Amino acid sequence: MRPTHASADTATVPGSTPGTGIGRSSGPDAEDTLDLRLPEEFLALCAEADAADRDDLLDRVGDWGRTRTSAGAFHLIPVRCERDLPLISGWMNDPAVAEFWELAGPLTLTEDHLCAQLAGDGRSVPCLGVLDGTPMSYWEIYRADLDPLARHYPVRPHDTGIHLLIGDAAVRGRGVGSTLVRAVADLVLDKRPACARVVAEPDLRNTPSVAAFLSAGFRFSAEVDLPTKRAAVMVRDRAVRDLL
């Protein structure tokens, strides 16, 4: 089913005089006041700091690099709408995917879903899954402890969640999904030292997805009622990652 994520609002402050850096308001009964306009250089630094904060929420997913799996070399690449939207929208219109993601329809439907994450605070990062150089899956790596999901299970700080779909129908049903889920869970635990658990919440009706997580070393934790589905909460613990 469609995951949901929060986005941020922005505000502007009127009253400054363009080009001066300082504005002066006046009126018959008003005292003079100074409206500070910050230099462009400072605003640019603030924007860079905001981008760094967004990256820090998930320890820079885009820098995690390639990992070797039995299926081939795998790489998570953060989505760029101008490059990836047609491909991802095409996957969303595959009936096998649409049944659970509910994003079948025009490009704008998928675009809105992606933009809500890309314009947010970095708690969810949409990625292409690239196997041996070929994009074949879509992933969302997200902070489960900062997600609405946290209201429905005993969350721990830095719990990291995974949503995914296999876009290439030719590789479905061959065990590739569970191989990649295990690889991504290992990446999360390797690259996010503060994270002790990787979680997922597939639709209970999606038995291939539940089976893939179980095969990837996740354990079934609970059934929960989410706004759009009844889900299986799946957990992979750092403490037992090498035992399952």
Side-chain angles (χ1 to χ4, degrees), residues 96-214:
V97 173
E99 180 180 2
F100 299 105
W101 280 79
E102 298 181 345
L103 286 170
L107 279 173
T108 52
L109 196 60
T110 298
E111 183 177 25
D112 289 346
H113 179 77
L114 296 175
C115 286
Q117 296 172 78
L118 296 172
D121 59 8
R123 71 184 62 192
S124 179
V125 179
C127 297
L128 279 183
V130 179
L131 185 63
D132 285 338
T134 301
M136 47 71 68
S137 53
Y138 170 74
W139 301 71
E140 292 170 356
I141 311 301
Y142 68 99
R143 284 286 296 268
D145 58 329
L146 304 178
D147 189 83
L149 175 65
R151 305 188 191 109
H152 299 274
Y153 82 105
V155 66
R156 295 181 187 173
H158 292 279
D159 276 359
T160 303
I162 295 174
H163 298 136
L164 79 145
L165 65 87
I166 303 298
D168 185 349
V171 302
R172 295 177 195 155
R174 299 185 177 184
V176 174
S178 59
T179 296
L180 299 184
V181 167
R182 180 181 289 272
V184 170
D186 283 341
L187 273 175
V188 170
L189 296 173
D190 288 342
K191 304 298 184 179
R192 302 207 65 235
C195 171
R197 305 190 306 179
V198 184
V199 302
E201 23 83 19
D203 192 307
L204 271 173
R205 298 172 301 146
N206 193 346
T207 52
S209 181
V210 173
F213 280 103
L214 289 171

Side-chain angles (χ1 to χ4, degrees), residues 62 75-89 91 107 111 114 118 126-130 135 137-138:
H75 194 186
L76 286 174
I77 299 177
V79 164
R80 285 169 42 198
C81 268
E82 66 275 15
R83 178 193 63 199
D84 305 322
L85 178 58
L87 177 63
I88 297 172
S89 179
W91 291 340
L107 279 173
E111 183 177 25
L114 296 175
L118 296 172
C127 297
L128 279 183
V130 179
S137 53
Y138 170 74

